[in-house]
């Protein structure tokens, strides 16, 4: 997927902004004269990363609904607009044992799924007031092909993709495109606990820059409700969702789903 660069002077907010994908994305956007605000858990390292890049920093716990709204409001008040929100914050389980740690499971879902929901709903009004823009969600291949080693992560990312697809029609009516990026395994801290396995197997992993390229393209040329798979040696391609068997009328004809209820892939 190739795309034009964002308009210089646009304003973008990136959650999880000081980690691997967020940092790489910020560098690309800043190089195109986009004003970038990185939102992440507060800390000296996070603030230093933003300062080194030349980006603004906002402290944000994405699981805090009110904090999401407050950050979006501050960004809009400071810059007069918000053109794109990258909902990129994410974590995975620290363990892959047979027994599921329910507290850890719920925390992963809280960050990776509800952090997306809160962020999208908080960003929506500001982006609408700017005349439309984009919401880009960092999902994962695990949301399309669940990982047996991390049920919480798979549930959260699958839910995030479903949220993107279900929100797409109403946001499109406002001029806002929402889409998801679904990277395969990438060279970020999230694979640290299993990194040796990739090295030993000679399995290719994505660079953060490859994923950031897809994230930029999703802003400027993404399709509403699309989920873009990013894989080494493949590039960025839209995932083609399979339709479920259609209902049939009493006479045996295929029933037509009402327009308002159709997912983006059926329109």
């Amino acid at each position: 997927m190739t795309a034009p660069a964002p308009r210089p002077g646009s304003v973008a907010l990136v959650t999880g902004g000081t980690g691997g994908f967020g940092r790489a994305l910020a560098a690309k956007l800043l190089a195109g004269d986009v004003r970038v605000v990185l939102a992440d858990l507060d800390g000296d390292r996070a603030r230093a990363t933003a300062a080194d890049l030349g980006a603004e920093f906002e402290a944000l716990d994405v699981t805090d609904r009110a904090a999401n709204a407050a950050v979006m409001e501050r960004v809009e008040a400071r810059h007069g607009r918000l053109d794109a929100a990258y909902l990129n914050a994410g974590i995975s389980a620290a363990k892959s044992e047979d027994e599921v740690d329910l507290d850890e499971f719920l925390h992963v879902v809280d960050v990776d799924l509800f952090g997306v929901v809160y962020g999208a709903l908080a960003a929506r009004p500001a982006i609408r007031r700017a005349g439309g823009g984009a919401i880009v969600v960092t999902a994962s291949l695990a949301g399309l092909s669940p990982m047996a080693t991390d049920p919480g992560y798979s549930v959260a990312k699958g839910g995030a993709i479903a949220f993107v697809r279900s929100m797409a029609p109403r946001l499109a009516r406002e001029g806002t495109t929402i889409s998801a990026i679904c990277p395969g395994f990438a060279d970020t801290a999230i694979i640290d606990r299993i990194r040796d396995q990739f090295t030993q197997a000679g399995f290719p992993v994505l660079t953060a820059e490859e994923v950031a390229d897809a994230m930029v393209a999703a802003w400027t040329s993404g399709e509403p409700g699309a989920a873009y798979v990013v894989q080494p040696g493949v590039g960025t391609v839209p995932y083609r969702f399979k339709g479920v068997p259609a209902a049939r009328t009493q006479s045996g004809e295929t029933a037509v789903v009402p327009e308002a209820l159709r997912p983006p892939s059926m329109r």
Side-chain angles (χ1 to χ4, degrees):
M1 180 173 63
T2 57
R7 180 174 57 82
S10 298
V11 179
L13 179 134
V14 185
T15 69
T18 61
F21 293 160
R23 188 168 59 246
L25 172 65
K28 291 181 183 294
L29 295 178
L30 288 163
D33 292 326
V34 173
R35 290 175 286 179
V36 178
V37 181
L38 302 183
D40 216 324
L41 293 173
D42 203 1
D44 292 342
R45 184 175 180 180
R47 289 180 178 275
T49 297
D52 289 345
L53 288 166
E56 296 176 20
F57 180 79
E58 285 279 352
L60 175 65
D61 175 353
V62 297
T63 68
D64 185 329
R65 190 188 314 182
N68 276 276
V71 165
M72 302 296 177
E73 290 169 2
R74 286 198 297 271
V75 171
E76 185 184 23
R78 194 157 61 239
H79 295 286
R81 61 188 303 115
L82 177 64
D83 299 280
Y86 282 94
L87 307 180
N88 171 69
I91 60 172
S92 64
K95 299 168 286 188
S96 58
E97 299 171 354
D98 185 60
E99 294 296 325
V100 175
D101 183 322
L102 186 55
D103 288 336
E104 184 175 54
F105 180 104
L106 292 173
H107 183 51
V108 170
V109 171
D110 206 15
V111 173
D112 293 7
L113 174 54
F114 287 103
V116 165
V117 174
Y118 299 153
L121 298 184
R124 180 184 182 182
I127 295 175
R128 182 173 60 230
R129 286 189 288 268
I135 297 173
V136 181
V137 173
T138 302
S140 169
L141 208 59
L144 301 170
S145 180
M147 295 171 56
T149 55
D150 198 339
Y153 187 77
S154 299
V155 166
K157 295 301 186 180
I161 293 168
F163 177 74
V164 164
R165 298 183 72 208
S166 64
M167 285 293 293
R170 70 187 70 192
L171 291 178
R173 292 193 290 269
E174 302 172 1
T176 298
T177 297
I178 185 170
S179 59
I181 298 298
C182 303
F185 294 109
D187 186 15
T188 66
I190 211 163
I191 69 164
D192 280 349
R193 65 181 174 83
I194 54 174
R195 186 180 297 275
D196 289 348
Q197 298 177 40
F198 292 105
T199 303
Q200 293 169 10
F203 190 92
V205 296
L206 293 161
T207 66
E209 287 70 25
E210 287 176 301
V211 177
D213 283 336
M215 296 166 86
V216 173
W219 175 2
T220 58
S221 62
E223 294 293 326
Y228 294 101
V229 172
V230 190
Q231 282 277 59
V234 176
T236 302
V237 295
Y239 184 78
R240 299 304 180 192
F241 292 91
K242 295 181 179 180
V244 298
R248 294 189 177 277
T249 64
Q250 289 184 340
S251 62
E253 298 177 346
T254 300
V256 178
V257 178
E259 175 74 18
L261 300 180
R262 297 180 195 176
S265 59
M266 293 178 61
R267 293 174 182 268

